Amino acid sequence: QVQLAESGGGLVQPGGSLRVSCAASGFTFSNYYMEWFRQAPGKGLEWVSGITSGGALTYYHDSVKGRFTISRDNDNYTLYLTMNNLKPEDTALYYCARNLPGPGWAGDYWGQGTQVTVSS
């Protein structure tokens, strides 16, 4: 069955960097767009970034543009989110999701999330 497992979260100081990963299994990873979402304490789910199946095109929420980079390794079934110049408002539970084919960035399968905390 489809499984997504995030890792790499942690505590980082403002201005710092972190890379989170998502290991995928149970489907042909290279056939699907993939994406990252996040949920901050007391707030709703927010789409962060998406990447096309081959990795050629990437998309970002305005709040992270220029600071975050989404990438993928199709040979190793892994999705990444590299986060630079982190801000306290980036504190959230970060989820990877397989994109539901069709317009928009809805996910059809989700991981359990990895916590990113930005604090001094």
Side-chain angles (χ1 to χ4, degrees):
Q1 72 276 23
V2 175
Q3 291 189 325
L4 298 169
E6 301 92 339
S7 61
L11 174 64
V12 61
Q13 292 187 341
S17 298
L18 200 63
R19 188 178 79 165
V20 293
S21 304
C22 172
S25 61
F27 65 103
T28 304
F29 185 67
S30 58
N31 285 353
Y32 287 85
Y33 288 25
M34 296 292 296
E35 50 203 329
W36 288 96
F37 290 80
R38 66 185 180 186
Q39 187 165 25
K43 296 190 176 181
L45 195 64
E46 177 182 64
W47 176 83
V48 174
S49 182
I51 188 168
T52 54
S53 54
L57 297 177
T58 57
Y59 304 87
Y60 300 94
H61 190 279
D62 283 348
S63 65
V64 306
K65 208 171 286 184
R67 300 188 298 120
F68 289 13
T69 302
I70 189 171
S71 60
R72 64 192 297 162
D73 180 346
N74 283 348
D75 290 336
N76 290 297
Y77 278 48
T78 306
L79 178 72
Y80 300 101
L81 185 68
T82 302
M83 302 177 285
N84 297 317
N85 190 20
L86 282 159
K87 304 176 181 180
E89 52 264 42
D90 295 316
T91 295
L93 191 59
Y94 282 73
Y95 299 93
C96 67
R98 190 181 79 170
N99 179 249
L100 180 66
W105 289 105
D108 62 355
Y109 287 91
W110 300 74
Q112 80 290 348
T114 187
Q115 179 66 41
V116 173
T117 302
V118 184
S119 175
S120 55

